[in-house]
Amino acid sequence: FKSIRESSGPDALAFFSSARVTNEENYLMQKFARAVIGTNNVDHCARLCHASTVAGLAISFGSGAMTNSIEELERSDVVLITGSNTSENHPVISTFIKRGVQSGRTKLIVVDPRRIDLVDHGALWLRQRPGTDVAWINGMMHVIVQEDLYDKEYVAARTEGFEAVKQVVAAYTPERVEMITGIPKEDLIAAARLYARAPAASIVYAMGITQHTCGTDNVKSIANLAMLCGNVGIESGGVNPLRGQNNVQGACDMGALPNVYSGYQAVTVPELREKMAQTWGVKRLPENVGLTMLEAMAAAARGEVKGLFIMGENPMVSEPDIHHVEQELKALDFLVVQDIFLTETARLAHVVLPSACFAEKDGTFTNTERRVQLVRKAVEPPGRARADWEILCDIARRMDYPMSYPNAEAVFDEMASLTPSYAGMDYGRLAVEGLQWPCPSKDHPGTKFLHREKFARGKGLFAPIQWTSPAESPSEEYPFILTTGRVLYHYHTGSMTRRSDGLNEICPECWVEIHPRDADALGIHDGEMVEVSTRRGRIEVKASVGPMTDERTIFIPFHFWEAAANRLTIAAVDPVAKIPEFKVCAARVEKLKPRCVG
């Protein structure tokens, strides 16, 4: 690292932090990049899942986090779930929603291109074409405004920009929305009325909304809909993005992002840079916004980023267009991977640093409802594995920077002293019960739901959004829409769950969901091997024929390295959040011909 910094400058190095490690370790990784190396080139996997949430909700509300609490979902009058297969991806949270439905209090609206489990619990199911979310959200707002169902007093007192949105949604009639999305106009109207008339309605979403080239616009559209009906700043309402990993929220909060320090304090603000520099004991900190994950990888291919330090990430499975990812990683002069297993990415590294897992160290995680929770060391780490924060401190000291702490608690205390939303937290309070930020003082109880009296930015901001088509649409050569996601039995890149014999017995291999009529047309039977290809690559998978997907739409889970869905996905990104479009690309499905063995 010293050699690269001296020969090519600090920005020739980049750092990937992790949503799997503790808050303390994410805080130290971004401190290491900024104070030890002198670069803002630090990012983590939120770039691939919820970067558009952070950007979109920050613009609309002033805070890019889940507004309400998990337990409130059970008492919502209406829950609108979109872009989230909650039963499989967040099964504990789904139980709160199901209990609300079973009690008779909660009406459930599901908007999803797949027939997920929650459809069977819903009052309404709107099956949209992938990539058309802005259109159906604008369509619901069109109905609500036309039928005078919106909360005029709330809009007038607590928001700004409504008239511009009103003008835009006027063009999104139910008839036009049906043409764009495939949602029958009667269902759209029914959903709009049900949502608007609810005393407290919650919107729940995940990566089916965020992982698009228009992901930030999707999020802002959802914020528009919630504000239109006065559903932000009330109990059991709100806009509630579900984080995909145990510490995505915490990694964002800790500043493992190229543009902010912990607590979303902008690196471009001189006063904030000075505050951080003084506490960290350095003369100055970099002023420029750093590179995102995908930008750093592209810079590696160009020879501009020469060294990369990856902690707890596996881009060889998680990033789009894996063929190019492999080329980018191999172009580096020096790759260091710090992880608990020898992942597909670690196999390409020049140095692998074995780290301890969550049960082998102390620290904190911040879950999807902004709740900071304490974890305690239960067992000793195996072999030479060590806590990530200890490894980071050792490297920093070898680079002549005095980064030393007696324990993880001391790291947390330093972070909290610099981070207003965490200022009232310490290990003593967290040992009793987790606290939800913002918690600005030691006597503050934490915040159950956000924006009670006013938005973090003052007034909520309506944003006029026009629907735009995805980066890649079906064609004669590639007639299917491919969308990707997760399943119940495996987790993310499979680096942990695919080492579990029990889970592999239940879910041993990859598959592609295809509608029966499409399968018949292609002569494909359930269980047969097929080839799925896009303009980026091809994989061989087993066909799962059934009604889960609509005609001309296919679904592939991305956990399986040997049939990696991300060999197929497109690297087009949202211009604001720089998040890839994992949920829509054009694909072809072909029956595999028998191979001759001779």
Side-chain angles (χ1 to χ4, degrees):
F1 289 162
K2 277 184 176 179
S3 174
I4 291 171
R5 184 179 61 184
E6 289 166 5
S7 64
S8 303
D11 287 338
L13 286 155
F15 300 83
F16 292 173
S17 203
S18 174
R20 302 294 291 153
V21 306
T22 64
N23 285 322
E24 292 78 1
E25 290 159 339
N26 277 295
Y27 170 78
L28 288 187
M29 179 59 118
Q30 61 92 27
K31 178 180 177 179
F32 184 95
R34 289 167 167 136
V36 181
I37 302 298
T39 182
N40 284 320
N41 292 346
V42 58
D43 205 2
H44 75 287
C45 74
R47 188 65 50 198
L48 307 178
C49 59
H50 272 291
S52 40
T53 286
V54 174
L57 294 187
I59 292 168
S60 298
F61 300 159
S63 173
M66 185 170 174
T67 62
N68 290 62
S69 300
I70 295 168
E71 54 96 5
E72 294 174 50
L73 293 170
E74 190 173 351
R75 298 188 301 277
S76 294
D77 297 292
V78 166
V79 175
L80 190 163
I81 293 179
T82 182
S84 170
N85 185 0
T86 319
S87 297
E88 295 202 43
N89 298 164
H90 300 89
V92 175
I93 293 176
S94 76
T95 63
F96 286 86
I97 298 168
K98 290 175 182 177
R99 282 205 299 261
V101 172
Q102 290 164 359
S103 73
R105 169 161 187 164
T106 304
K107 299 293 184 183
L108 178 61
I109 303 169
V110 178
V111 187
D112 202 288
R114 299 173 66 224
R115 188 181 178 89
I116 60 175
D117 167 73
L118 285 173
V119 168
D120 294 332
H121 299 266
L124 287 167
W125 173 35
L126 313 185
R127 173 177 262 180
Q128 85 279 34
R129 295 189 185 99
T132 63
D133 297 294
V134 167
W136 69 258
I137 297 169
N138 279 352
M140 282 186 64
M141 288 193 286
H142 172 98
V143 174
I144 292 167
V145 171
Q146 287 291 309
E147 297 190 3
D148 210 28
L149 298 174
Y150 67 100
D151 191 330
K152 297 184 186 65
E153 183 178 340
Y154 182 97
V155 169
R158 297 202 52 189
T159 71
E160 57 187 347
F162 168 65
E163 288 302 322
V165 168
K166 184 178 179 181
Q167 290 178 16
V168 166
V169 303
Y172 286 81
T173 63
E175 292 78 13
R176 182 186 175 205
V177 171
E178 181 172 349
M179 290 178 62
I180 295 171
T181 68
I183 297 171
K185 63 180 184 180
E186 295 82 5
D187 292 345
L188 182 81
I189 294 168
R193 290 170 177 167
L194 184 59
Y195 178 83
R197 289 169 176 162
S202 172
I203 300 177
V204 173
Y205 73 88
M207 286 169 283
I209 284 292
T210 61
Q211 289 179 332
H212 294 272
T213 51
C214 59
T216 303
D217 282 349
N218 286 348
V219 172
K220 289 192 290 186
S221 295
I222 282 176
N224 287 344
L225 177 59
M227 289 189 293
L228 184 67
C229 298
N231 277 317
V232 185
I234 63 171
E235 190 163 356
S236 296
V239 174
N240 298 299
L242 304 183
R243 305 301 193 181
Q245 299 197 51
N246 63 303
N247 208 28
V248 175
Q249 186 64 58
C252 293
D253 295 348
M254 293 302 104
L257 296 165
N259 61 327
V260 292
Y261 303 115
S262 59
Y264 308 95
Q265 301 172 90
V267 301
T268 54
V269 177
E271 295 79 11
L272 296 175
R273 285 201 306 273
E274 179 62 24
K275 178 180 77 168
M276 296 293 177
Q278 284 187 358
T279 302
W280 292 344
V282 296
K283 291 182 179 179
R284 65 180 61 87
L285 290 169
E287 301 177 11
N288 60 301
V289 172
L291 300 175
T292 65
M293 291 181 76
L294 270 65
E295 289 170 342
M297 298 288 278
R302 298 192 299 268
E304 296 166 8
V305 167
K306 301 179 183 300
L308 178 59
F309 188 177
I310 300 176
M311 177 175 69
E313 291 284 350
N314 190 14
M316 275 297 294
V317 180
S318 63
E319 292 204 10
D321 198 357
I322 288 174
H323 175 69
H324 280 159
V325 172
E326 185 173 7
Q327 292 178 330
E328 290 160 348
L329 291 174
K330 288 181 175 178
L332 291 162
D333 291 349
F334 190 49
L335 173 61
V336 178
V337 173
Q338 187 168 303
D339 215 315
I340 62 174
F341 292 116
L342 192 67
T343 64
E344 291 77 13
T345 303
R347 294 179 189 279
L348 300 177
H350 298 95
V351 173
V352 178
L353 302 172
S355 58
C357 80
F358 78 99
E360 298 159 356
K361 58 191 174 186
D362 294 340
T364 58
F365 294 124
T366 306
N367 77 355
T368 193
E369 64 174 4
R370 299 169 282 104
R371 185 177 299 278
V372 184
Q373 298 171 297
L374 191 65
V375 293
R376 290 298 195 189
K377 182 177 179 179
V379 293
E380 291 296 324
R384 297 169 66 188
R386 302 172 63 205
D388 293 278
W389 71 268
E390 293 176 327
I391 299 171
L392 290 172
C393 287
D394 271 3
I395 299 172
R397 288 194 296 271
R398 283 165 171 77
M399 296 189 68
D400 305 318
Y401 180 85
M403 188 186 283
S404 183
Y405 302 88
N407 49 42
E409 183 176 6
V411 181
F412 186 92
D413 289 343
E414 178 182 301
M415 176 278 299
S417 73
L418 294 168
T419 311
S421 56
Y422 281 66
M425 300 183 193
D426 57 44
Y427 273 27
R429 295 192 71 191
L430 295 174
V432 178
E433 188 176 11
L435 291 167
Q436 290 171 277
W437 66 257
C439 181
S441 62
K442 296 295 185 183
D443 59 352
H444 195 282
T447 305
K448 184 176 181 180
F449 59 89
L450 301 177
H451 319 299
R452 182 192 294 265
E453 295 176 357
K454 67 176 183 177
F455 286 91
R457 67 177 301 278
K459 287 191 172 184
L461 179 63
F462 277 99
I465 306 294
Q466 295 283 3
W467 172 74
T468 57
S469 58
E472 190 174 79
S473 299
S475 64
E476 186 175 345
E477 185 179 6
Y478 297 99
F480 287 90
I481 295 174
L482 165 64
T483 189
T484 66
R486 301 175 179 179
V487 299
L488 176 63
Y489 302 106
H490 287 297
Y491 185 79
H492 205 53
T493 65
S495 58
M496 294 183 296
T497 56
R498 297 201 68 206
R499 287 176 167 82
S500 166
D501 291 339
L503 294 176
N504 282 328
E505 187 174 330
I506 297 170
C507 186
E509 60 187 340
C510 190
W511 67 91
V512 56
E513 291 174 358
I514 184 169
H515 193 276
R517 280 191 284 272
D518 291 324
D520 287 345
L522 294 169
I524 293 169
H525 299 287
D526 185 57
E528 285 188 326
M529 294 298 293
V530 299
E531 178 182 286
V532 182
S533 60
T534 68
R535 293 177 176 88
R536 271 91 32 211
R538 54 176 293 278
I539 61 173
E540 294 181 4
V541 289
K542 184 175 287 187
S544 176
V545 179
M548 277 291 287
T549 55
D550 204 355
E551 291 182 71
R552 295 290 166 159
T553 299
I554 57 174
F555 169 84
I556 302 177
F558 79 95
H559 313 285
F560 300 87
W561 159 250
E562 65 277 14
N566 283 332
R567 290 193 179 278
L568 310 177
T569 50
I570 190 169
V573 298
D574 178 290
V576 177
K578 308 296 175 66
I579 190 171
E581 186 150 64
F582 289 109
K583 296 305 181 190
V584 185
C585 70
R588 181 171 61 235
V589 182
E590 296 176 283
K591 184 173 181 175
L592 280 180
K593 297 176 181 177
R595 292 189 175 94
C596 295
V597 180

